[in-house]
């Protein structure tokens, strides 16, 4: 550390530049990870709120809630500690001024799918809904009357709940009755046992149903099958991994150039009997110091800039995964020091003093 | 008295076949404590080859190098590097100080890799003797050539070595500075009872030395000190 730190102190500009680059890379990594988390939340928030272990859908729906049509009768084929029925449809809602894609959840008020109401009250009568409060940012309010694109029914927002988006659309929670009215209109009465799925809370996810037509799907797998979810995640993760690679190459390159400049100096030190391993440790320590400082500043910068971002950008910072990425960045940077270490080991002290 | 340094039938050739160069022909050599030895000779005659073999940086093609009864040829690089650290002080050209360390830190670095060979008061005395006590907080770039060379000597002496090897230590200095450096090496050799070998082109420096050897085409030949004529005929 002694050698490493003294050199950094003497050559501040040089090392500030490297740290600066590492800082920008880490900023980008943290920001992308925030974006990845944010986009994932956008898709799964409402599902996470269920705190469920599985969802039962029809076999032929291929894990798509929207394509799964079943009836409340099938509840008797499901054996679990707790069950909740769910009807779901997508629509465009407007309060006259503003339009928004929404997802309507038809639920039983007594079951666990009913979210915490943070403002207003829970739905009671037909056509009353509790809405995700992100709609407030879109210009919707308590008491607003909503017209839906696919139905003549008019809904009223009676309450708000937090963090309830499903596949990027804010959720409106309503009774099954409301759901049926919206979905089937005049024939709602004949279809009042129609639902899309049964959400299950149980310790075990095996043997939830013996019915051949039904299939229990683990929640995580259900989320991954949401349209676009996995693709989005893969794209962002790919970018993050790519950045890891880039930062390792940048660090390797810079350190290598610095090391090559110092070859004769290292040679003299080796001639004096200072071991390659001492010199190598010094380079690795230097990399650690630089990447640590760069990553910490990048981290701080991410949090600061995150606070000033417009709400429309879906970033959400998950500290654990940020820590993990930070540690990976530092390790990856240190891997980049390997070339320098190899160079140092290969330096022939003879070259430095011969002549 | 036991010789500090012995070379027995040491030979070094580079390359093979028709490109083969016998840089050092079969050489026997003995040096004792407290001896300041000069090696002179024309360029390409094998002086550096000799010095690097003595310093354990280069392995001879054949023969034995024995430092304080340890035969270097029997040892691996790691042990040899430890011997370099403990037994040998190299004085190299001034530019070979670590550019980003102050004088004090140059010495501290040696302390870190090889602990406690000389006491603190000895160290302060050394700094006084070498006239670098006032330079401790400076970087090499802020020192004159002579000052740098004195720091280099301080570094070489820091681990209290039994052998000091200097390859052209005065190359970058004017005559006055060069004499200063030689006086210093002479003083150290006598006080610390080191074996000091100085390779040089500059025959005026020979006056400071106890023994003079001449290298010609890989052959090392002892000269009598009084043989001034011989010395003066060394081609530059
Ligand atoms: N690594 C090497 N490979 C091949 N030949 C070498 C090598 N090093 C030195 N030689 C040759 O060995 C001979 C002795 O070289 P050496 O460096 O010992 O000379 P020197 O007396 O130190 O010369 P100078 O006074 O110019 O420093 C020269 O002919 C040189 O070309
Ligand atoms: Mg030479």
């Amino acid at each position: 550390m002694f050698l490493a730190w003294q050199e950094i102190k003497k050559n501040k500009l040089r090392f500030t530049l490297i740290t600066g680059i590492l800082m920008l890379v880490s900023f980008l990594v943290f920001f992308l990870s925030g974006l990845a988390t944010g986009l994932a939340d956008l898709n799964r928030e409402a599902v996470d709120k269920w705190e469920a272990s599985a969802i039962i859908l029809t076999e032929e729906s291929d894990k798509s809630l929207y394509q799964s049509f079943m009836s409340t009768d099938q509840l008797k084929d499901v054996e679990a500690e707790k069950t909740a029925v769910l009807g779901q449809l997508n629509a465009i809602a407007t309060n006259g001024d503003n339009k928004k894609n929404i997802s309507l959840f038809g639920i039983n008020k007594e079951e666990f799918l009913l979210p915490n109401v943070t403002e207003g009250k829970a739905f009671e009568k037909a056509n009353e809904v509790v809405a995700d409060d992100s709609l407030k940012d879109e210009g919707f309010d308590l008491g607003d009357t909503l017209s839906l694109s696919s139905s003549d029914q008019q809904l009223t927002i009676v309450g708000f709940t937090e963090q309830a988006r499903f596949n990027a659309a804010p959720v409106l929670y309503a009774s099954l009755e409301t759901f049926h009215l919206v979905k089937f209109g005049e024939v709602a009465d004949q279809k009042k046992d129609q639902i899309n799925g049964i959400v299950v809370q149980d310790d075990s996810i095996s043997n939830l149903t013996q019915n051949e037509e039904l299939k229990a799907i683990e929640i995580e797998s259900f989320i991954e099958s949401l349209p676009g979810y996995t693709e989005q995640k893969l794209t962002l993760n790919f970018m993050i991994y790519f950045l890891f690679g880039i930062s390792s190459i940048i660090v390797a390159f810079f350190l290598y150039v610095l090391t090559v400049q110092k070859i004769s100096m290292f040679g003299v030190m080796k001639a004096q009997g200072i071991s390659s391993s001492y010199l190598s440790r010094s380079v690795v320590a230097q990399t650690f110091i630089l990447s640590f400082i760069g990553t910490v500043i990048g981290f701080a910068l991410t949090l600061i800039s995150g606070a000033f971002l417009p709400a429309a950008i879906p970033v959400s910072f998950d500290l654990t995964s940020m820590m993990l990425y930070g540690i990976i960045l530092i390790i990856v940077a240190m891997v980049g020091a390997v070339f320098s270490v190899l160079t140092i080991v290969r330096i022939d002290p003879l070259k430095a003093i011969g002549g | 008295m036991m010789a500090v340094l012995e070379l027995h039938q040491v030979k070094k050739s580079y390359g093979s076949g028709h490109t083969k160069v016998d840089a050092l022909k079969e050489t026997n050599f003995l040096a004792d404590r407290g001896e300041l030895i000069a090696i002179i000779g024309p360029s390409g005659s094998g002086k550096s080859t000799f010095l690097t073999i003595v310093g354990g940086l280069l392995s001879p093609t054949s023969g034995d190098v024995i430092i304080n009864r340890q035969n270097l040829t029997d040892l691996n690089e790691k042990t040899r590097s430890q011997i370099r650290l403990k037994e040998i002080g190299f004085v190299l050209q001034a530019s070979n100080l670590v550019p980003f360390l102050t004088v004090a830190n140059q010495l501290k670095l040696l302390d870190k890799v090889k602990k406690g060979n000389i006491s603190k008061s000895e160290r302060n005395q050394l700094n006084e003797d070498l006239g670098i006590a006032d330079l401790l907080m400076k970087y090499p770039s802020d020192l004159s050539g002579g000052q740098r060379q004195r720091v280099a000597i301080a570094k070489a002496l820091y681990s209290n070595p039994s052998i000091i090897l200097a390859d052209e230590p005065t190359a970058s200095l004017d005559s006055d500075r060069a004499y200063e450096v030689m006086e210093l090496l002479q003083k150290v050799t006598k006080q610390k009872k080191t074996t000091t070998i100085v390779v040089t082109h500059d025959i005026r420096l020979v006056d400071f030395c106890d023994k003079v050897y001449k290298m010609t085409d890989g052959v090392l030949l002892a000269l009598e000190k009084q043989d001034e004529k011989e010395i003066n005929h060394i081609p530059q």
Side-chain angles (χ1 to χ4, degrees), chain A residues 355, chain B residues 14 21 23 42-49 168 201:
Chain B
Y14 294 107
V21 182
S43 183
S45 58
K47 304 182 298 292
S48 295
T49 304
E168 313 265 4
H201 275 108

Side-chain angles (χ1 to χ4, degrees), chain A residues 6 10 269 271 350 353 355, chain B residues 48 52 57 84 90 98 105 139:
Chain A
Q6 292 296 332
K10 183 76 201 313
M269 290 179 166
L350 195 58
I353 85 161
Chain B
S48 295
T52 45
L57 287 170
R84 284 205 294 277
F90 287 98
V98 182
N105 281 335
Y139 287 98

Side-chain angles (χ1 to χ4, degrees), chain A residues 152-182:
Chain A
D152 321 328
Q153 298 292 321
Q154 303 243 313
L155 306 179
T156 313
I157 299 177
V158 294
F160 281 112
T161 182
E162 280 175 337
Q163 296 186 330
R165 282 171 300 187
F166 177 68
N167 214 185
V171 172
L172 303 181
Y173 294 86
S175 64
L176 271 181
E177 182 194 359
T178 312
F179 168 71
H180 290 135
L181 281 172
V182 170

Side-chain angles (χ1 to χ4, degrees), chain A residues 21-31 294-295 298-299 302 329:
Chain A
I21 291 170
L22 282 169
M23 181 201 78
L24 291 175
V25 170
S26 71
F27 176 75
L28 210 53
V29 165
F30 289 139
F31 204 83
T295 308
F299 190 84
T302 313
L329 262 180

Side-chain angles (χ1 to χ4, degrees), chain B residues 55-67:
Chain B
L57 287 170
L58 185 65
S59 298
T61 312
S62 65
D64 296 311
V65 179
I66 297 163
I67 292 175

